[in-house]
Amino acid sequence: MSEASAPHAADRRELTAAQRNAVAELLRVSPVADELGRRFVRAGHELHLVGGSVRDALLGRLGDDLDFCTDAHPDETLRIIKGWAESIWETGREFGTIGAQRDGLRLEITTFRAESYDQVSRNPVVVYGTSLDEDLKRRDFTINAMAVSLPDHRFTDPHGGLDDLSAKVIRTPSTPGESFGDDPLRMLRAARFAAQLRFAVHPDVHLAMTEMAADLDRITAERIRDEFTKLLCGADPITGLRLLVDTGLAERFLPELTGLKLEIDEHAQHKDVYEHTLTVVENAVSYEEDGCDFILRMAALLHDVGKPATKAVGSDGRVSFHHHEVVGARLTKARMKAMRYPKDVTAQVTALVALHLRFYGYGRGEWTDSAVRRYVADAGDLLPRLHKLTRSDCTTRNRRKAAQLAADYDALEDRIARIAAEEDLARVRPDLDGNAIMELLGVPPGPVVGRAWKHLKEQRLEHGPLDRDAAEAELLRWARAEGLIS
């Protein structure tokens, strides 16, 4: 590969290593990429591996999804790959993109673009470009504005992306104001790449993000949601979250996060809720076992959002946040709905926020077996995540207190395991089902059956499993008390 601009002398060794990574990665996919490149050349067109694919190749982490750009328009691209690709899709055709699959690789081939926004609309106006340089200039960041031509592997880097990749900095090909003016979502994407790649944002980019944060209001909730989800699932979400707050971007779509920066009282009677929250997120990440658990991370991020609204200072100067988990759950549900998260995801995160304080008090010995059953029943399938969230929420610097909380939760988990071994805690249900209730009471399906079922479940939670005779006796006792039978 020949570089468009020579690297600084101090970077030569590192950049050479990066290029070696790229060569190794490209050799893995080159049979398919080069073959595709030759097909385009024979048809009189250009083809270039571009964007994130080149960036990831240089980082030694190229996946199976490859991005290409070409001067061929979609109809011509279809003609070139028809009969060669194992499958073809046209879902991105309106943006000039044709998708294909070959030998386990997913390929997206996009016509050169020179798209721009009219500064009012929420979607890009796609205009086909005429050159690779024009296409690279309109891309979001310099690290995504490099290309490898196929099949000759010529390297193009007109904006110094290789230097920025080495320096681990996020910079725009054009001025940040021009870039973010075209697509304000790029501001959020800068924070996302900072979180995913552990890169720093260039000071000029940071300044533009701060000055233009309000422009994010032009972007649809769905696009913001998708970028934010990727940010929170990044390798270093804390860096990305701090950027959102520091630049004012969070205030545009997640003001509850900024709101956690409570004014510390002069006697410092409570911890910094914002910093505590970031630590809880960091702790939650450490408990993950297999990749990003978005539901756990989001619950960690929002678990204390009810504190600003519930903050109170007593006559003794002590600060309290009574019922902040209830208020927090309500705020969480509303915010995630506004961000267009699926109902099931919203429900799970909301439930975790509502339950995150339930454990506190266990160490005082107040919990009966009934309380443990209710804890498990209320958490349901979320119990493993609730364990992790509760442990993550312990951020005290007092080692003795931290050790005691950890020991208390160990004891609770041991107690749950003991009771689970004796009872079916995974499915706490009444000892009689609906059919048995209707048969014993002689009633048809309806509200009475539901009320009876709920009563028997309460008995199951309070006293544990009942045998058949005891369950029937309890049902009849309840029915008499309700005036249903004599």
Side-chain angles (χ1 to χ4, degrees):
M1 295 181 187
S2 60
E3 298 174 28
S5 58
H8 300 300
D11 297 333
R12 286 186 187 278
R13 182 176 299 175
E14 185 173 357
L15 293 177
T16 300
Q19 288 175 294
R20 284 201 300 269
N21 283 336
V23 170
E25 291 289 275
L26 291 172
L27 283 175
R28 178 174 65 82
V29 301
S30 65
V32 170
D34 289 349
E35 188 177 336
L36 183 60
R38 285 191 289 270
R39 293 180 71 90
F40 273 80
V41 169
R42 284 197 299 267
H45 292 288
E46 304 172 25
L47 185 73
H48 312 273
L49 189 68
V50 74
S53 293
V54 177
R55 179 199 70 225
D56 288 344
L58 288 163
L59 292 173
R61 47 184 276 181
L62 183 63
D64 295 330
D65 293 340
L66 305 180
D67 294 324
F68 301 88
C69 67
T70 179
D71 60 336
H73 286 202
D75 286 342
E76 184 63 19
T77 294
L78 283 170
R79 283 193 289 270
I80 293 171
I81 65 175
K82 195 164 289 185
W84 175 83
E86 295 162 358
S87 61
I88 296 173
W89 55 93
E90 301 181 44
T91 51
R93 185 189 181 101
E94 64 176 310
F95 299 108
T97 300
I98 300 296
Q101 182 164 322
R102 173 83 176 192
D103 292 350
L105 299 174
R106 288 173 55 89
L107 321 171
E108 289 204 340
I109 307 161
T110 303
T111 305
F112 289 155
R113 293 211 299 244
E115 66 186 28
S116 64
Y117 288 68
D118 61 10
Q119 310 295 314
V120 176
S121 68
R122 295 182 170 195
N123 294 307
V125 178
V126 177
V127 178
Y128 292 145
T130 58
S131 70
L132 175 62
D133 284 347
E134 185 180 24
D135 184 271
L136 295 179
K137 184 178 180 180
R138 64 96 192 166
R139 291 181 177 268
D140 52 6
F141 305 110
T142 59
I143 59 174
N144 297 330
M146 298 176 282
V148 176
S149 301
L150 300 166
D152 61 349
H153 291 190
R154 176 173 49 85
F155 183 61
T156 301
D157 179 23
H159 303 288
L162 199 56
D163 284 350
D164 289 342
L165 198 66
S166 175
K168 297 184 177 180
V169 65
I170 297 169
R171 197 167 54 84
T172 56
S174 57
T175 67
E178 290 174 325
S179 181
F180 299 155
D182 280 346
D183 185 357
L185 188 67
R186 288 173 174 172
M187 295 186 286
L188 184 52
R189 196 173 293 141
R192 188 251 288 187
F193 279 121
Q196 286 185 330
L197 302 176
R198 300 181 187 273
F199 280 19
V201 169
H202 190 278
D204 290 346
V205 173
H206 191 287
L207 179 61
M209 290 167 68
T210 304
E211 293 178 342
M212 301 177 67
D215 285 10
L216 194 65
D217 296 347
R218 287 163 41 198
I219 305 302
T220 62
E222 290 81 3
R223 294 182 71 205
I224 291 174
R225 174 202 63 205
D226 291 347
E227 283 296 330
F228 177 74
T229 300
K230 293 174 184 176
L231 182 157
L232 193 59
C233 279
D236 181 18
I238 306 306
T239 292
L241 292 169
R242 287 191 186 280
L243 266 172
L244 295 182
V245 172
D246 293 347
T247 59
L249 285 167
E251 188 67 30
R252 314 313 304 184
F253 69 95
L254 190 59
E256 293 81 5
L257 178 57
T258 304
L260 292 177
K261 283 197 163 186
L262 298 172
E263 180 181 352
I264 304 298
D265 63 287
E266 61 183 17
H267 301 294
Q269 291 294 314
H270 67 81
K271 67 183 73 175
D272 183 328
V273 182
Y274 172 69
E275 291 296 334
H276 162 73
T277 294
L278 296 183
T279 301
V280 174
V281 173
E282 195 169 30
N283 290 344
V285 172
S286 72
Y287 281 113
E288 292 174 342
E289 298 164 3
D290 186 23
C292 173
D293 184 343
F294 172 77
I295 290 170
L296 175 62
R297 293 192 188 194
M298 192 67 165
L301 182 66
L302 299 178
H303 78 286
D304 274 349
V305 294
K307 279 191 170 180
T310 57
K311 179 183 175 182
V313 181
S315 58
D316 59 356
R318 296 181 65 85
V319 178
S320 64
F321 305 96
H322 294 307
H323 306 301
H324 77 265
E325 75 282 12
V326 177
V327 174
R330 186 174 70 248
L331 292 173
T332 294
K333 182 177 181 180
R335 179 53 55 197
M336 293 189 70
K337 180 180 179 181
M339 293 179 71
R340 303 292 193 270
Y341 278 102
K343 290 183 179 179
D344 60 329
V345 174
T346 299
Q348 292 178 79
V349 175
T350 300
L352 286 170
V353 172
L355 291 169
H356 83 275
L357 276 187
R358 182 78 70 86
F359 158 72
Y360 293 94
Y362 176 79
R364 295 196 294 267
E366 300 170 354
W367 282 33
T368 62
D369 282 357
S370 170
V372 175
R373 292 188 196 98
R374 292 178 188 279
Y375 187 74
V376 174
D378 289 346
D381 293 340
L382 291 172
L383 185 62
R385 286 190 175 107
L386 183 57
H387 288 333
K388 294 174 183 176
L389 177 60
T390 303
R391 290 185 182 277
S392 298
D393 196 22
C394 176
T395 63
T396 178
R397 295 180 181 178
N398 184 318
R399 292 186 178 181
R400 188 173 64 82
K401 184 178 180 181
Q404 184 60 57
L405 286 170
D408 288 346
Y409 209 84
D410 288 342
L412 175 58
E413 290 200 61
D414 289 343
R415 192 170 175 187
I416 289 172
R418 175 182 61 77
I419 298 176
E422 301 168 357
E423 309 171 18
D424 186 8
L425 280 186
R427 296 187 309 114
V428 176
R429 301 178 63 81
D431 297 285
L432 299 176
D433 63 17
N435 290 328
I437 292 170
M438 289 187 288
E439 181 179 353
L440 192 61
L441 297 184
V443 297
V448 169
V449 179
R451 287 164 50 206
W453 190 93
K454 183 176 181 180
H455 173 75
L456 289 176
K457 181 178 180 181
E458 286 295 315
Q459 293 301 306
R460 172 75 165 76
L461 288 168
E462 187 67 30
H463 304 293
L466 302 176
D467 60 32
R468 180 78 182 200
D469 290 342
E472 290 183 353
E474 176 58 32
L475 175 63
L476 293 174
R477 186 202 65 75
W478 173 83
R480 292 191 189 95
E482 293 289 313
L484 301 174
I485 59 175
S486 56

